Amino acid sequence: MQLSVRLVPVGETTLVVALTGELDSTTRPVLAAFLEPLPQSRVKYVVIAAADLWFCDLDGLEQLALTHGAMRRKGGGLVVAEARPPLLRLISLMAGQAEPIPAYPSMPEALAQTDVDVYEVSGPPTPVPRHMPVLRNVRTTPLGEDTRDRPRPPRHPRPGEAPPGEARPGEARPGEARPGETPHDETLPDETLPALSLAVSRSRGLREQALRQRSTLTRQLLRTTQSRTLLLSARERCFASLEVLRTSRVSIRSAIDGQAAPPAPHVPGPHDGAHEDGVSGQERRHVDDRR
């Protein structure tokens, strides 16, 4: 599950947060990293662009509700624009809370609740006329003929084009300035300065977003590495305990087998015929012979 967050400032105190992906308990910290610092900034209105938010559960909606409450205490608020039907049903179920989250079907209606005066939807780009090449007749040259010294035919100007070396009325020659124009005047018009500032601010916002996502991924990788180390050490301890149990089982089995073995039977030998007085049969025969 992944969540992409894009910050777009559209006013002095209005910030549009475009969400793409899934918002649940796993991706909630990613969104919280962007929303929690907003109460300490100059932002008062937050617009959640949820057109590309595929899934959202109660954990994600709770984070939005916390940010909405913090913005309400500053005199602003948080609104949701272009939400999908499942998210709208979830918002309606939580409408009984003290501060329900407003939801609007379109972005202009959501921005109308902020400090943005005019919101213009950019139309399709104006098509740029393409230059179509003009085919010319190519003269074939016999193989082996040298054409370097052959004079080239004069080039005829096209319709509406000035002859070579001349300029059309109202235009300057190449390298010259037009009448009333300062040569090499590359000053940007005043109309492009706001657009340039907005582009710079968006670039900075995207850079900060990339740095935050990188730090979040680094922390998750560190936690994953620590968990892996703990699991490996636990596995080693389990292997050691298993080896001890196996050794103990072998020792116990050997002890049990030794106690259960019956004693070996006694076989009488030739010298076992001794009397109770301790005299053997051979000694008794020797005594009888002397007699």
Side-chain angles (χ1 to χ4, degrees):
M1 296 183 183
Q2 296 181 355
L3 178 67
S4 175
V5 182
R6 185 165 58 95
L7 305 180
V8 182
V10 295
E12 295 294 334
T13 59
T14 302
L15 180 67
V16 175
V17 181
L19 302 181
T20 303
E22 300 181 2
L23 179 57
D24 53 10
S25 59
T26 305
T27 57
R28 177 180 177 178
V30 178
L31 181 61
F34 292 95
L35 297 183
E36 289 178 354
L38 294 181
Q40 288 76 30
S41 64
R42 65 177 183 177
V43 176
K44 295 172 58 178
Y45 300 96
V46 179
V47 180
I48 302 296
D52 296 331
L53 188 62
W54 310 322
F55 175 78
C56 180
D57 60 359
L58 290 176
D59 289 331
L61 192 60
E62 182 182 2
Q63 181 63 46
L64 298 181
L66 292 177
T67 305
H68 177 56
M71 294 293 104
R72 291 281 294 176
R73 287 188 289 271
K74 289 182 59 176
L78 181 143
V79 297
V80 179
E82 301 177 349
R84 299 194 176 192
L87 180 57
L88 291 177
R89 288 195 297 268
L90 191 60
I91 293 176
S92 63
L93 291 176
M94 298 185 65
Q97 295 184 356
E99 295 181 355
I101 301 176
Y104 298 92
S106 64
M107 184 63 68
E109 295 180 6
L111 290 174
Q113 311 301 321
T114 64
D115 61 344
V116 179
D117 296 332
V118 179
Y119 177 76
E120 297 181 356
V121 180
S122 59
T126 304
V128 180
R130 298 179 58 185
H131 171 71
M132 302 301 296
V134 178
L135 299 178
R136 296 181 299 176
N137 295 327
V138 181
R139 297 180 57 184
T140 58
T141 303
L143 183 62
E145 182 180 353
D146 189 4
T147 59
R148 288 178 294 180
D149 298 333
R150 178 184 298 178
R152 295 184 178 181
R155 179 177 175 273
H156 299 283
R158 298 176 184 175
E161 182 182 2
E166 298 183 4
R168 289 186 296 181
E171 294 185 358
R173 293 184 178 182
E176 297 182 358
R178 296 183 180 180
E181 181 181 0
T182 304
H184 305 287
D185 187 8
E186 299 180 357
T187 305
L188 294 176
D190 296 337
E191 292 78 3
T192 60
L193 294 180
L196 183 60
S197 301
L198 182 60
V200 171
S201 63
R202 290 181 178 178
S203 300
R204 291 177 179 175
L206 292 175
R207 182 175 179 272
E208 293 177 357
Q209 176 185 354
L211 291 177
R212 293 193 190 97
Q213 290 182 351
R214 180 182 177 183
S215 62
T216 302
L217 292 176
T218 303
R219 290 194 298 269
Q220 292 180 355
L221 180 61
L222 180 60
R223 288 195 295 266
T224 303
T225 305
Q226 294 176 353
S227 301
R228 181 175 179 271
T229 304
L230 293 176
L231 290 176
L232 289 177
S233 61
R235 188 181 67 174
E236 294 296 334
R237 290 195 298 269
C238 290
F239 286 162
S241 301
L242 184 61
E243 189 67 24
V244 171
L245 290 176
R246 289 176 179 174
T247 306
S248 302
R249 187 183 64 177
V250 172
S251 302
I252 293 172
R253 181 174 293 178
S254 300
I256 293 175
D257 293 342
Q259 293 178 0
H266 177 70
V267 179
H271 303 290
D272 291 343
H275 297 276
E276 294 181 358
D277 54 358
V279 181
S280 62
Q282 184 178 4
E283 292 179 351
R284 183 173 297 278
R285 286 193 302 270
H286 179 69
V287 173
D288 293 339
D289 293 338
R290 291 183 61 185
R291 289 179 181 179

